[in-house]
């Protein structure tokens, strides 16, 4: 199966994938990428009101095939 | 006619329990040879993993050893990814792992699956399975394994004639439950990096107890996909966590081997307390327990 590389950013640390994972096709790799976002958000909640989580999928040639992000935003609605 | 199950998961890779020989990733044994990392069967240490494991109960006496050794007389090599016990079917016997890794897993109708426990050398897969009829989970080999198969009758006879062995087997089931509780808590409450670290601490110690690991390293043949199905996180996240833990010099998994530069530091990182494994005082790297 082809190998895809997933670079992830949890808002603190960009992690470049140097090992990769095998998926059947780009569509499957895309699903894998999106599924990783909630995992990252679960582990790293923002101190303030905003954090962005993102992932980028490359193929073995280094071409960026897909990217996705998850934005966590919050705001107070009463005076504090 | 059993319904054909699809083993797909996010990503469409069928790496769940399946009746096929291991393939892909180039990392498995190609021949039915020695299960990875475990002593060849003709050189298996005495006492064997079953005895080493059950000794931890503090219940066995020396005279029980030959009976347990006798159980292990004719192991056969079972290829990776073989279903030993099928979900929803009545198991026809009891399996004892003497070499390699197996696992219990549960499959949902949509193809999602979860590894529920890791079966290591010295572990029985469902020794009391006869009592509950149809199995509620799969038991599958993850690597080529050395497996002894016992009939339910043989197990009954063993437990009726030797009450110490019966109690030691009961002890081992209670420890299995403790491990399951620890996993459940980790899966629900720990951050992924700490959960992975905790799992690695446990694996290293469990393998040391049965003579299958060094002080700071052991076999870890699970693929990232399988690790994801064990930890309950996606494989992309597994990949990221492994890199983070490696960069922090806490652990490294490479070429199917887990290496821990500083076991105490890794334990402190994830709050690993070996007490739940109920090991004897003086066991390798275990906490002290009063027998």
């Amino acid at each position: 199966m082809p190998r895809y590389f997933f670079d992830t950013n949890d808002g603190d640390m960009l992690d470049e994938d140097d090992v990769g994972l095998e998926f059947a096709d780009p569509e499957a790799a895309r699903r894998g990428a999106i599924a990783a976002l909630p995992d990252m958000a679960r582990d790293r909640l923002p101190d303030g009101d905003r954090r962005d989580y993102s992932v980028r999928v490359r193929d073995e040639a280094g071409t960026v095939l897909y990217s996705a992000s998850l934005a966590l935003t919050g705001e107070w609605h009463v005076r504090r | 006619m059993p319904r054909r199950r699809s083993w797909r998961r996010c990503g469409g890779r069928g790496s769940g329990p399946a009746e096929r020989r291991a393939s892909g990733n180039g990392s498995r044994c190609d021949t039915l040879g020695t299960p990875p990392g475990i002593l060849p069967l003709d050189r298996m240490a005495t006492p064997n993993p079953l005895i080493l494991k059950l000794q931890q109960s503090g219940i066995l006496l020396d005279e029980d050893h030959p009976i347990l050794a006798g159980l292990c007389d004719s192991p056969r090599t079972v290829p990776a990814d073989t279903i030993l016990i099928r979900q929803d079917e009545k198991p026809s016997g009891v399996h004892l792992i003497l070499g390699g890794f197996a696992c219990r897993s549960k499959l949902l109708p949509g193809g999602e699956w979860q590894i529920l426990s890791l079966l290591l050398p010295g572990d029985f897969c469902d020794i009391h399975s006869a009592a509950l009829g149809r199995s509620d989970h799969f038991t599958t080999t993850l690597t080529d394994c050395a497996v002894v198969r016992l009939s339910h009758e043989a197990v009954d006879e063993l437990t009726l004639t030797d009450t110490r062995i019966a109690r030691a087997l009961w002890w081992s089931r209670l420890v299995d439950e403790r491990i399951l509780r620890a996993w459940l808590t980790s899966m629900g409450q720990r951050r992924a990096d700490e959960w992975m670290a905790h799992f690695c601490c446990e694996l290293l110690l469990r393998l040391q107890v049965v003579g299958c690991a060094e002080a700071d390293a052991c076999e870890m043949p699970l693929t990232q996909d399988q690790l994801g199905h064990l930890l309950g996180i996606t494989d992309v996240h597994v990949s990221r966590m492994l890199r983070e833990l490696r960069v922090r010099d806490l652990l490294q998994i490479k070429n199917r081997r887990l290496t821990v530069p500083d076991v105490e530091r890794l334990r402190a990182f994830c709050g690993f307390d070996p007490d739940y494994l109920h090991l004897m005082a003086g066991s390798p790297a275990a906490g002290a327990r009063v027998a």
Side-chain angles (χ1 to χ4, degrees), chain A residues 29-51:
Chain A
R30 171 191 163 273
R31 284 197 298 272
I34 290 179
L37 292 171
D39 278 350
M40 281 200 284
R42 181 175 182 248
D43 276 356
R44 202 76 100 211
L45 294 176
D47 293 328
D49 279 332
R50 170 109 198 176
R51 190 177 281 259

Side-chain angles (χ1 to χ4, degrees), chain B residues 201-223:
Chain B
C201 289
E202 177 192 296
L203 178 67
L204 182 62
L205 183 53
R206 283 175 67 191
L207 287 172
Q208 284 168 349
V209 164
V210 292
C212 294
E214 296 142 46
D216 60 356
C218 64
E219 294 295 317
M220 219 303 296
L222 273 65
T223 62

Side-chain angles (χ1 to χ4, degrees), chain A:
Chain A
M1 280 196 291
R3 188 162 285 262
Y4 299 88
F5 297 83
F6 299 82
D7 305 323
T8 54
N9 193 331
D10 66 354
D12 261 350
M13 191 186 92
L14 166 67
D15 178 62
E16 282 193 8
D17 186 356
D18 55 356
V19 172
L21 283 163
E22 289 180 355
F23 282 91
D25 52 40
E27 179 59 44
R30 171 191 163 273
R31 284 197 298 272
I34 290 179
L37 292 171
D39 278 350
M40 281 200 284
R42 181 175 182 248
D43 276 356
R44 202 76 100 211
L45 294 176
D47 293 328
D49 279 332
R50 170 109 198 176
R51 190 177 281 259
D52 294 300
Y53 309 87
S54 61
V55 59
R56 186 179 70 174
V57 185
R58 289 178 280 121
D59 64 14
E60 289 177 86
T63 309
V64 175
L65 303 176
Y66 186 79
S67 62
S69 66
L70 187 66
L72 195 158
T73 58
E75 71 178 282
W76 289 97
H77 296 278
V78 293
R79 190 171 307 203
R80 285 170 57 249

Side-chain angles (χ1 to χ4, degrees), chain B:
Chain B
M1 181 73 148
R3 170 170 70 84
R4 180 168 171 76
R5 297 185 176 96
S6 80
W7 299 107
R8 65 185 167 73
R9 207 209 143 234
C10 166
R13 284 183 295 145
S15 36
E19 268 170 312
R20 60 179 168 80
R21 290 295 297 275
S23 63
N25 291 342
S27 55
R28 296 202 191 274
C29 300
D30 289 328
T31 60
L32 291 185
T34 309
I38 310 301
L39 289 175
L41 297 178
D42 59 355
R43 282 207 295 122
M44 191 171 295
T46 314
N48 69 33
L50 175 64
I51 294 172
L52 286 169
K53 177 176 168 166
L54 293 182
Q55 270 181 332
Q56 298 297 320
S57 67
I59 295 167
L60 297 182
L61 300 177
D62 284 350
E63 61 224 57
D64 300 316
H65 293 192
I67 303 172
L68 292 171
L71 285 181
C72 306
D73 262 342
S74 318
R76 59 188 180 104
T77 304
V78 176
D81 293 330
T82 303
I83 298 176
L84 297 175
I85 299 168
R86 191 177 281 278
Q87 185 170 311
D88 295 330
E89 288 182 5
K90 198 168 158 47
S92 57
V94 169
H95 299 85
L96 165 64
I97 306 293
L98 287 182
F101 286 51
C103 71
R104 297 194 186 102
S105 63
K106 221 165 154 63
L107 175 73
L108 292 179
E112 305 89 351
W113 57 286
Q114 174 72 42
I115 292 180
L116 302 166
S117 12
L118 221 48
L119 298 161
L120 304 176
D123 287 343
F124 277 98
C125 323
D126 303 294
I127 188 158
H128 297 126
S129 57
L132 287 175
R134 289 184 304 146
S135 176
D136 68 337
H137 60 272
F138 284 93
T139 301
T140 324
T141 55
L142 289 167
T143 68
D144 290 353
C145 284
V147 179
V148 169
R149 193 180 162 284
L150 302 170
S151 66
H152 291 303
E153 294 73 27
V155 172
D156 279 346
E157 191 184 316
L158 175 68
T159 53
L160 287 170
T161 55
D162 190 318
T163 56
R164 280 189 305 273
I165 290 182
R167 281 172 50 224
L169 292 172
W170 175 67
W171 165 89
S172 124
R173 286 310 303 270
L174 292 177
V175 172
D176 279 356
E177 286 174 24
R178 284 185 162 201
I179 294 174
L180 204 54
R181 289 196 287 270
W183 281 28
L184 195 56
T185 307
S186 289
M187 197 172 310
Q189 302 304 323
R190 284 190 209 274
R191 280 177 24 166
D193 53 356
E194 291 171 7
W195 174 199
M196 183 177 289
H198 195 280
F199 165 72
C200 289
C201 289
E202 177 192 296
L203 178 67
L204 182 62
L205 183 53
R206 283 175 67 191
L207 287 172
Q208 284 168 349
V209 164
V210 292
C212 294
E214 296 142 46
D216 60 356
C218 64
E219 294 295 317
M220 219 303 296
L222 273 65
T223 62
Q224 293 194 32
D225 188 63
Q226 286 164 342
L227 258 181
H229 285 288
L230 187 154
L231 299 171
I233 62 181
T234 66
D235 34 13
V236 172
H237 203 51
V238 166
S239 189
R240 186 190 159 101
M241 291 296 98
L242 286 174
R243 238 184 327 277
E244 269 194 35
L245 292 168
R246 187 185 75 224
V247 159
R248 296 173 70 169
D249 212 31
L250 285 165
L251 62 86
Q252 175 162 344
I253 297 177
K254 192 174 173 173
N255 299 327
R256 295 157 58 91
R257 247 181 112 65
L258 164 69
T259 310
V260 182
D262 184 340
V263 172
E264 285 314 310
R265 188 166 151 257
L266 184 65
R267 289 182 173 193
F269 168 76
C270 59
F272 178 80
D273 178 350
D275 191 58
Y276 69 100
L277 294 170
H278 208 250
L279 302 172
M280 295 293 292
S283 279
R289 173 171 83 81
V290 177

